Structures are given as C-alpha cells and as structure tokens.
Amino acid sequence: MNFTYYGHACFSVQAGGKTLLFDPFISPNPLAKKIDVAKIAADFILVSHGHGDHVADVIDIAKRTGATVIAPYEVGSWFENKGVKNVQAMNHGGAARIDFGRVKLTSAIHSSSMPDGSYGGNPCGFVVESADGAFYYSGDTALTSDMKLVGETSRLSFAVFPIGDFFTMGIDDALRAADFVGVSRFVGVHYDTFPPIKLDHEAALKAAQAAGKELLLPAIGESINI
Ligand code: NI
Ligand code: MN
C-alpha cells in the first residue's frame, strides 16, 4: 500500500483503489508548510477524535473533494452541522463495508472535544481491511490491552502509532502496542509538532531495532510503499 505522510498524525493510504486520508492537520502546522492542502486527494477522511490537531483541515478538504468523513458519532455529527455533505458517523466496535473494503472503529484511551468546545464523544482508532491488505491506526491513545483484540482478529500488514509521548504513547509503549497487534513494522506519528512531543529520532529508531521492530519515520511529504 502507498503511504504518504503529511506531518503530525496526518497521512493517506491507498487501499482498495481509494485514497484514505487520516486526521488532517496541515494548514496550522508550521512543519508542513510545503504541503499544499488544496492539492491533497481524498475519497474518505477518517477522523479519530475532535481535537484541533486532528480536524483542522477536514471541512476544507471534504468540501473540495466530496470525500466521505468517517468518524465517531459525535465528531461526524459536528461536521454534518458544519455543512459536510457525506458523513458516516459510527461508533466503537462497529464495522462497515465500504467501497475500499471494511472499516472498524476501535477503542482508544484519550479524550475528545471539538475545537469550539462542544462534546466530541470518545476517541477511536481504525482497522482498515482492503484487497491490498489490512492496517491499524490507533489514533491518539495510551497503550491499552484492548489492542490485543485487534491482533486476534486482523492480520495486519502494518500499524500507525503515535510515538511522541506526553499526550499519547511514547516509543516504548508503541513497541508494546506493535506486539499486542502482531505487527513487525509500524509508522510513527504525533511527534515533533509541539515542544512537549519533540522526539529523539535516533533513540527511537534504536529502541525499535533492539525490540526487533521496524519503525518507519517518513519525512513530511514523503510517500513510501508498505
Ligand atoms: Ni488528541
Ligand atoms: Mn493529538
């Protein structure tokens, strides 16, 4: 699958012939200055929770592309009220068959409120299955033994985990999460954007190597094949 990193926790994956964009936060991110939001393609926009650093560009991209927003119920409803036409508001444990394959919302240990302070429900992660393979994006979360359930039911090609610590898992817990879900490689996200989540890249890569895992840290704007 083709994976493109747009900085912070925003990335897109080509799966099942569709472009899935996750947690778009580009225009307010100084590290992603060179990314032109107006050129980002999306058939679906998957939003893990309501925090500003995950939803900033959802409305613009959804309106321009006509992409369907897939999100926890309260987050999806908030976007509907903001005029986003195509919204699939789901909830934890629920799965749906869609053009690209299947998506299931998993639990995440974090918080969720919308940028205007309204209730954002509970944060989620996503398991995506397609003809090209399956992957798991945990969303912002602590390490949780619930991740073992993901590993029991899905054979994953890769995972995407936050590794910046402070607001989410750090690298050590992300490595345990990789074990829980049964992946040997994962993409690290949610680091470097803000001072408390500055990452020691070398130390993180070393920790992954010592744990027998492949940690992928694509540059912002870089596409990789996984
Ligand atoms: Ni958050
Ligand atoms: Mn976040």
Side-chain angles (χ1 to χ4, degrees):
M1 283 167 273
N2 194 274
F3 178 106
T4 303
Y5 186 49
Y6 294 114
H8 198 51
C10 179
F11 57 94
S12 72
V13 180
Q14 308 275 344
K18 301 289 175 190
T19 301
L20 281 57
L21 179 71
F22 293 79
D23 286 353
F25 169 76
I26 298 148
S27 55
N29 182 0
L31 300 181
K33 270 200 306 271
K34 62 176 182 182
I35 305 292
D36 185 353
V37 179
K39 289 197 174 129
I40 291 182
D43 296 306
F44 296 90
I45 304 172
L46 290 82
V47 183
S48 64
H49 64 296
H51 289 160
D53 60 322
H54 298 256
V55 306
D57 296 307
V58 169
I59 292 172
D60 279 358
I61 298 173
K63 286 191 172 168
R64 174 176 54 80
T65 60
T68 298
V69 172
I70 300 175
Y73 191 82
E74 291 78 3
V75 174
S77 302
W78 190 82
F79 284 120
E80 262 176 345
N81 289 334
K82 297 275 177 199
V84 175
K85 286 220 171 66
N86 304 314
V87 173
Q88 183 159 308
M90 299 176 62
N91 222 324
H92 302 78
R97 294 221 149 266
I98 314 184
D99 295 3
F100 56 79
R102 182 177 184 261
V103 63
K104 185 173 185 180
L105 269 62
T106 62
S107 59
I109 306 290
H110 191 67
S111 55
S112 180
S113 49
M114 307 311 302
D116 61 4
S118 54
Y119 179 58
N122 288 306
C124 78
F126 298 98
V127 175
V128 172
E129 294 170 2
S130 77
D132 301 308
F135 64 95
Y136 167 56
Y137 167 46
S138 68
D140 281 11
T141 185
L143 179 71
T144 159
S145 55
D146 283 358
M147 291 167 177
K148 291 178 182 170
L149 300 174
V150 174
E152 281 171 16
T153 48
S154 298
R155 207 196 182 101
L156 306 170
S157 300
F158 68 94
V160 181
F161 294 133
I163 58 169
D165 222 333
F166 201 86
F167 300 117
T168 66
M169 296 191 282
I171 182 63
D172 292 340
D173 280 346
L175 289 166
R176 295 171 69 195
D179 272 337
F180 283 5
V181 302
V183 295
S184 59
R185 59 185 178 166
F186 63 94
V187 181
V189 297
H190 213 276
Y191 64 89
D192 282 356
T193 321
F194 314 113
I197 60 172
K198 274 260 172 245
L199 178 75
D200 182 336
H201 292 220
E202 210 174 305
L205 290 163
K206 246 188 204 159
Q209 197 179 25
K213 303 284 184 199
E214 188 185 354
L215 168 63
L216 301 164
L217 298 176
I220 295 173
E222 186 182 355
S223 292
I224 55 175
N225 222 307
I226 39 178

